[in-house]
Amino acid sequence: MALRKAALSRKSRAAVKARVKNNEITIDDVLALAKSDPFIAKMKVSELLESIPGVGKIRAAGMMERFGISATRRIQGLGVKQTADLVTEFAGKSEPLSRGKLIVLSGPGGVGKSTVAIRLREVSDFWVSVSATTRSPRVGEIEGVDYYFFSDERFDQGISTDEFLEWASFAGARYGTPRKGVEEALVQGRNVLLEIEVEGAFQVKAHSKEAILVFLQPPSWEHLVARLEARGSDTPERRAHRLELAQNEMAAAKEFDLVFVNDEVENVVARLVSLATH
Ligand code: 5GP
């Protein structure tokens, strides 16, 4: 557990440093991020400064000395004055934030999209959208983490107030992507992942040409059937219906920008990260 935490922490720090290096985010952004992200809060100030373009070890050390910041200080330990000094030092020197990339991950139910999305959220700084749905929670699902579980009335209200970027009916329930969080994250320069079914993916593309549609394909049809059958929470009728739906969804692959085969979760995650950074 501790090891895993350390690995996660290294990865999230590495992602932030890479973005500072590429002028995608400023020191102010990192300091703001540190308020909500304990991994970033524990980053050494020297590590952050050295990742800023044009600031090497020597300049970083000199600056820290000038502002009375000890060499081993972590972001969470910075004083108010020290923070202000650092922000002023770099004010106006960075490029404006570029908009994040919008990646839509779709594919047949049971292909493993949500596993990919969860892993991506763990190892990168992607903002992964949480959808609203009218279906009932499965065992272990948490409100606000897996979905926002809406009543039919609440979902109707969301449609009438244009709350959704897209929405679709699937297997007897409705699913929608709340628009607000997606737009806010993109404006902040964060890459965004929507994990949704194919109808919704096409709606997103129709509105935002910037969206990149990725279709996640199972290694084989048999593989997908086995996964759907293993889903204990569905009734036999519902499972049969899901298989039929999956067959239709598979046919949509050719209309996507890219098709990734879900051979290994880690491979798919790496390809999504690389897609967002290139
Ligand atoms: P499940 O009920 O298995 O969680 O999801 C069923 C399907 O709905 C999956 O294919 C999932 O990707 C899709 N889905 C989840 N959230 C959304 C959403 O916000 N919009 C659309 N269009 N599909 C979604």
Side-chain angles (χ1 to χ4, degrees):
M1 186 62 201
L3 261 180
R4 191 171 135 75
K5 228 174 155 180
L8 264 184
S9 153
R10 264 198 310 278
K11 279 194 175 136
S12 97
R13 284 206 292 262
V16 165
K17 283 193 286 180
R19 297 188 63 203
V20 171
K21 199 162 256 150
N22 293 333
N23 265 330
E24 286 170 24
I25 53 174
T26 64
I27 187 162
D28 311 44
D29 299 320
V30 179
L31 296 175
L33 207 60
K35 293 208 178 94
S36 59
D37 184 335
F39 293 147
I40 305 304
K42 290 200 178 72
M43 188 196 286
K44 282 199 177 146
V45 177
S46 58
E47 236 185 303
L48 168 62
L49 294 180
E50 287 163 23
S51 65
I52 297 173
V55 181
K57 272 194 184 335
I58 296 173
R59 246 197 92 191
M63 212 182 296
M64 288 171 69
E65 206 182 331
R66 199 150 37 92
F67 299 146
I69 304 168
S70 72
T72 54
R73 175 71 73 231
R74 292 172 191 274
I75 294 178
Q76 63 187 7
L78 281 171
V80 177
K81 168 112 182 29
Q82 293 168 336
T83 306
D85 285 342
L86 284 175
V87 169
T88 312
E89 179 81 8
F90 293 101
K93 288 189 188 158
S94 50
E95 301 283 317
L97 266 184
S98 56
R99 205 171 150 82
K101 291 214 173 120
L102 175 58
I103 300 185
V104 182
L105 184 67
S106 204
V111 72
K113 288 174 300 216
S114 50
T115 311
V116 168
I118 289 166
R119 188 70 186 137
L120 186 74
R121 184 156 42 187
E122 284 174 353
V123 302
S124 77
D125 60 347
F126 258 85
W127 189 85
V128 180
S129 171
V130 176
S131 297
T133 182
T134 59
R135 82 150 163 75
S136 328
R138 295 198 185 111
V139 177
E141 284 184 331
I142 301 170
E143 164 77 20
V145 175
D146 299 286
Y147 281 107
Y148 296 105
F149 295 99
F150 276 18
S151 63
D152 265 318
E153 296 71 35
R154 176 66 188 84
F155 204 94
D156 285 341
Q157 183 198 336
I159 295 172
S160 63
T161 55
D162 205 21
E163 198 177 312
F164 302 125
L165 181 64
E166 59 73 36
W167 71 270
S169 295
F170 183 90
R174 287 182 293 173
Y175 297 82
T177 303
R179 181 193 297 283
K180 193 163 171 272
V182 174
E183 192 45 40
E184 280 173 5
L186 289 173
V187 166
Q188 286 164 17
R190 293 192 68 180
N191 297 315
V192 170
L193 184 90
L194 308 185
E195 179 258 286
I196 62 180
E197 53 69 64
V198 297
E199 276 308 314
F202 294 142
Q203 285 178 42
V204 175
K205 188 76 173 189
H207 296 135
S208 336
K209 294 288 169 246
E210 62 173 339
I212 307 172
L213 302 195
V214 176
F215 189 88
L216 194 61
Q217 213 168 39
S220 67
W221 174 249
E222 290 68 31
H223 202 272
L224 188 68
V225 174
R227 276 197 54 137
L228 281 172
E229 309 241 295
R231 232 177 221 183
S233 54
D234 284 346
T235 60
E237 295 75 35
R238 202 166 158 86
R239 220 172 294 157
H241 184 45
R242 278 185 186 259
L243 266 179
E244 201 182 302
L245 282 174
Q247 221 156 7
N248 294 337
E249 290 187 293
M250 289 287 279
K254 55 185 181 306
E255 290 167 60
F256 277 64
D257 296 315
L258 292 161
V259 177
F260 290 177
V261 175
N262 191 11
D263 48 359
E264 282 286 337
V265 174
E266 298 300 327
N267 288 346
V268 177
V269 167
R271 292 174 77 183
L272 290 170
V273 169
S274 146
L275 187 61
T277 44
H278 291 105

